[in-house]
Amino acid sequence: MRIELKSERTVETYRQSLNSFRKYLSEQYSKGVDAITIDFVSDKVIREYIGWVSNHSSVGTRNVHLAALKAYVKYAASKNIDLTSLQISLAGLKHKKVYPKRHNWLSKDQILLILEQPKPTKIGVRDRFIILFLFSTGARLNEMITVKANDVITDGKHPYVRLFGKGDKPRIVPVPDDAFLENFRYYCELFHADGNLDTHSRPLTAGNRQAPWPCGYLAVEAMNNMLGDQPARKWDSLSEDDKLKFLGLK
């Protein structure tokens, strides 16, 4: 899966799905791990399992478990041509359409109230910027933690953010909100210059924005001292979950 550029989160989700399938076989067929052979895992057994998941979980969960089993069987078939027929038969087991849920959206006043919660400290400025960044760009948490200063392009008529999704696929998100740009400049200057909270009165030039930071990642600039002498290398070595825990986001 990692060879196919699957994200850590996708790999972990597939692992959980396969473990769920193992538990099902143990409970329904009294099969231990050592007794689960590829000969036993037939099209019939897999379809029974997917039906069981459908009766006990959401459509989305069913689709995730099905995707994990298909991916595993595809891998197994690449190693053993005798399993190609199983792979083909599972291809006929389609994913079900997931309809979007109805949400109670936050009002503008509620969003402003959330943005007022962080304290007027360096960490508070960082937290407020993270909240505003997520609201303004619609980025996933695992996308936000990979954004660097030079991924936010404020020069020109149409500012935008460069995000990297699953498989490091880039996409461009416009940020027309003046509040976002003002907070971005404030945030950058505060941690660039290591100054006081009144630094927002000084404009941030394009040259300053492009200058190298000790780490470069927007989300962790305020905590570089906790990452040692080589914060970028330390940050890159952490898993997605550890990065989110480090920032207090999980």
Side-chain angles (χ1 to χ4, degrees), residues 59-60 96-105:
V59 174
K96 291 186 177 180
K97 185 174 182 179
V98 178
Y99 293 94
K101 297 179 181 179
R102 297 185 63 182
H103 296 277
N104 294 320
W105 306 108

Side-chain angles (χ1 to χ4, degrees), residues 1-229:
M1 293 179 185
R2 290 190 176 90
I3 294 176
E4 295 178 359
L5 301 179
K6 301 294 186 183
S7 69
E8 291 184 15
R9 192 173 300 277
T10 299
V11 172
E12 179 59 27
T13 299
Y14 280 12
R15 182 183 293 112
Q16 293 174 0
S17 297
L18 293 174
N19 193 45
S20 173
F21 182 52
R22 177 190 62 78
K23 290 180 179 178
Y24 170 81
L25 295 180
S26 175
E27 294 172 359
Q28 299 295 324
Y29 290 93
S30 300
K31 289 281 187 179
V33 175
D34 57 341
I36 301 175
T37 63
I38 199 67
D39 293 332
F40 176 76
V41 182
S42 63
D43 177 83
K44 177 177 178 293
V45 170
I46 292 178
R47 288 176 181 272
E48 285 179 355
Y49 169 68
I50 294 302
W52 179 84
V53 173
S54 298
N55 293 332
H56 293 81
S57 303
S58 66
V59 174
T61 299
R62 171 200 179 274
N63 290 342
V64 169
H65 286 238
L66 177 58
L69 287 170
K70 283 185 173 181
Y72 182 78
V73 171
K74 178 182 177 181
Y75 168 78
S78 69
K79 302 297 181 180
N80 185 348
I81 196 172
D82 293 338
L83 299 175
T84 302
S85 60
L86 176 59
Q87 179 187 355
I88 294 174
S89 64
L90 286 181
L93 191 53
K94 302 298 183 181
H95 294 270
K96 291 186 177 180
K97 185 174 182 179
V98 178
Y99 293 94
K101 297 179 181 179
R102 297 185 63 182
H103 296 277
N104 294 320
W105 306 108
L106 293 174
S107 66
K108 181 178 180 180
D109 289 340
Q110 290 172 326
I111 293 175
L112 292 175
L113 182 61
I114 292 175
L115 292 172
E116 292 174 358
Q117 300 312 303
K119 298 179 180 180
T121 62
K122 294 188 75 170
I123 297 299
V125 172
R126 184 208 66 183
D127 291 346
R128 187 176 189 277
F129 177 73
I130 287 176
I131 295 171
L132 188 59
F133 183 93
L134 294 173
F135 275 131
S136 300
T137 65
R140 302 178 180 90
L141 283 175
N142 63 322
E143 294 174 337
M144 181 272 298
I145 58 180
T146 65
V147 174
K148 294 186 177 182
N150 57 8
D151 290 325
V152 184
I153 311 302
T154 60
D155 300 331
K157 185 177 179 181
H158 303 291
Y160 64 89
V161 176
R162 186 188 300 112
L163 298 175
F164 294 88
K166 294 182 178 180
D168 286 333
K169 295 178 181 177
R171 73 176 188 277
I172 301 301
V173 179
V175 282
D177 192 346
D178 291 339
F180 174 87
L181 297 177
E182 179 183 353
N183 278 270
F184 172 67
R185 293 187 174 93
Y186 181 20
Y187 177 83
C188 286
E189 184 159 313
L190 176 63
F191 295 116
H192 231 340
D194 195 26
N196 298 316
L197 292 180
D198 63 357
T199 56
H200 66 283
S201 61
R202 300 197 302 272
L204 182 71
T205 65
N208 282 340
R209 180 180 64 78
Q210 296 293 346
W213 289 9
C215 179
Y217 293 96
L218 286 180
V220 294
E221 282 305 319
M223 306 179 77
N224 277 337
N225 60 328
M226 297 176 63
L227 289 171
D229 296 332

